Amino acid sequence: MRRVTLLGATGSVGSSAVEVLQEGRERFAVHAVTANSDAAALAGIARRLRAERAVVADPAALAALRDALAGTGIEAAAGASAMQEAAGERVDVVLSAIVGAAGLAPTAAAVRAGSTIALANKECLVCAGPAFMALARRHGARILPVDSEHNALFQLIEGRDADEVSRFTITASGGPFRTWSAERLRRATPEEALAHPTWSMGPKISIDSATMMNKGLELIEAHHLFGLSPDRLDVLVHPQSIVHGLITFRDGSVHAEIGLADMKRPVSYCLNWPARGGCAARHLDLAAIGALTFERPDEARFPALALARSAMVHGSGAPTVLNAANELAVSAFLARRIPFTAIPETVARSLTEADRAGLLTEPETVEEAIGLDAAARDLAAQAVDNLAAIAS
Ligand code: NDP
């Protein structure tokens, strides 16, 4: 039996993981499942997976969690230290699927315990890339990428010499606004931005897909995960989301990983690694798909991608500030405080202010990255207020 902990069990990736774990219940034993505040959903998952422990980050949700688990023998807990404790218990695999920078501390606790990390929470690498990877090396914790594009690259280079690869390409669907004009983008609503054409995902990453910030965050993720210089990383827009990643060898040969847009596939890959488990991800019928198309990203209409790329090249805390400002801006857009095009504008202003305030230095530890994230949020809140005032 493989012992597994599921951080962010109630989310979109979490739901894929619940299905994979249920299908493979003879191979997996679940230690802990966690959520932020959705006690009812978490209790349902804990029962279905026969978890030992269920933890909510929000202490106000503990009473509801206890009630929902009464008589099951499943332990209920709440709060930041309970999350750390659950994540920090050594198991075979911890699936890190909390959304945002909130995932840093629990995932770092899992790394310190030396558990293998199936990493969906890209913010660990975006906000604290060098510190997080150094921590993993120090504690002998293996990082397996769940993000579909990185999972594709991981599968493609497994057992190969990465030095033989000249280019690593991740694909982007282009999001719901791929063909929209700059003028139309200014008037985009949260409902329109949330309607992703190919993937079903949580709200934060759906908005990031619409701005293409998600692909920028993924470049930074790949940079740290695989230790690649920025000039070896590329983005290709591929609206069908069938090809997830490609590697170009020195001799010009290109290998691609392809499959339907279903997170159960990379989740199953990471939970079963190095074996391959059977999973109920839908199978690909290329004849039914017919055509696969590719185009270059348009960084004039989607400036978030260029912002993320330059933060990656700059390093020294710029990706941490970029991510924090983007999280705040996405929330403000969803709350209808700022227009869609003010999201990258908030990020750009926050980076300028952070530079001016002397904040752009590389976080040496995950804790320093969490500190920089907090400082960047203060700057971003100011930028959001100013942009909201202009918009009203
Ligand atoms: P969701 O918003 O669907 O789910 C987020 C999960 O995190 C929920 O379980 C939520 O609990 C929990 N959570 C939220 N805030 C906190 C907090 N402060 N402390 C502890 N737990 C918290 O997100 P996704 O599943 O879409 O994404 C999760 C991560 O995976 C992100 O980093 C994303 O970029 C990455 N990813 C997602 C993909 C996808 O297809 N969705 C694909 C590849 C990567 P509650 O339900 O109680 O709010």
Side-chain angles (χ1 to χ4, degrees):
M1 290 293 262
R2 191 166 276 200
R3 232 166 144 238
V4 175
T5 282
L6 188 45
L7 307 176
T10 50
S12 166
V13 174
S15 305
S16 293
V18 169
E19 283 187 53
V20 171
L21 291 169
Q22 269 204 306
E23 284 162 17
R25 64 168 70 78
E26 71 292 347
R27 293 193 306 283
F28 299 111
V30 177
H31 164 241
V33 291
T34 79
N36 186 30
S37 57
D38 193 343
L42 186 67
I45 289 167
R47 283 169 181 265
R48 273 165 69 191
L49 297 179
R50 300 198 183 90
E52 294 160 29
R53 204 187 295 187
V55 183
V56 277
D58 180 1
L62 180 59
L65 184 65
R66 280 212 176 106
D67 282 353
L69 290 175
T72 60
I74 300 169
E75 195 186 317
S81 60
M83 288 283 289
Q84 297 278 105
E85 208 181 296
E89 167 132 350
R90 170 80 187 238
V91 292
D92 295 303
V93 189
V94 173
L95 180 86
S96 168
I98 292 172
V99 65
L104 256 70
T107 311
V111 166
R112 286 194 184 95
S115 301
T116 290
I117 312 295
L119 189 68
N121 178 275
K122 61 192 74 175
E123 292 81 1
C124 285
L125 291 169
V126 174
C127 305
F132 185 81
M133 291 308 285
L135 190 70
R137 278 192 297 276
R138 212 158 48 245
H139 292 275
R142 190 183 291 277
I143 311 293
L144 301 173
V146 171
D147 215 345
S148 56
E149 297 78 2
H150 305 74
N151 186 266
L153 295 183
F154 184 78
Q155 293 194 42
L156 289 166
I157 58 167
E158 230 181 339
R160 295 194 180 269
D161 181 355
D163 288 341
E164 292 187 334
V165 180
S166 58
R167 202 140 200 85
F168 293 75
T169 305
I170 55 175
T171 60
S173 68
F177 303 149
R178 183 175 59 88
T179 58
W180 285 33
S181 67
E183 178 49 38
R184 199 172 164 205
L185 283 177
R186 267 190 278 280
R187 288 176 275 109
T189 65
E191 291 73 20
E192 289 166 331
L194 286 167
H196 197 279
T198 50
W199 290 96
S200 160
M201 308 183 288
K204 160 68 171 48
I205 185 173
S206 296
I207 302 301
D208 287 347
S209 293
T211 59
M212 289 202 71
M213 178 60 90
N214 184 46
K215 221 37 62 178
L217 300 178
E218 288 181 1
L219 283 177
I220 301 170
E221 184 183 3
H223 168 56
H224 294 299
L225 191 57
F226 301 112
L228 300 172
S229 57
D231 59 320
R232 292 172 79 196
L233 284 163
D234 206 4
V235 172
L236 196 56
V237 174
H238 166 49
Q240 297 81 21
S241 300
I242 298 295
V243 177
H244 306 292
L246 308 100
I247 57 174
T248 307
F249 287 98
R250 278 201 304 238
D251 62 5
S253 186
V254 180
H255 290 200
E257 195 271 339
I258 71 176
L260 288 174
D262 186 340
M263 285 307 291
K264 276 193 287 188
R265 215 163 26 81
V267 164
S268 168
Y269 182 84
C270 291
L271 291 180
N272 287 289
W273 187 89
R276 286 202 183 249
C279 95
R282 288 166 301 130
H283 284 271
L284 177 62
D285 177 353
L286 275 176
I289 306 265
L292 301 180
T293 60
F294 302 91
E295 55 196 69
R296 301 241 158 268
D298 179 349
E299 292 187 3
R301 277 183 307 131
F302 299 100
L305 186 55
L307 280 169
R309 198 186 276 280
S310 77
M312 166 172 67
V313 171
H314 185 284
S316 304
T320 321
V321 173
L322 170 106
N323 181 74
N326 182 57
E327 282 192 26
L328 232 80
V330 168
S331 300
F333 168 67
L334 286 172
R336 298 174 204 279
R337 289 193 59 216
I338 58 171
F340 181 75
T341 44
I343 298 175
E345 182 61 31
T346 301
V347 174
R349 289 185 181 200
S350 304
L351 281 163
T352 304
E353 286 308 315
D355 193 18
R356 202 170 284 154
L359 289 175
L360 295 186
T361 55
E362 187 62 51
E364 299 284 327
T365 61
V366 170
E367 290 65 33
E368 278 185 27
I370 292 170
L372 177 54
D373 172 87
R377 278 167 202 266
D378 291 341
L379 296 177
Q382 191 62 53
V384 163
D385 286 347
N386 293 341
L387 288 163
I390 294 168
S392 65

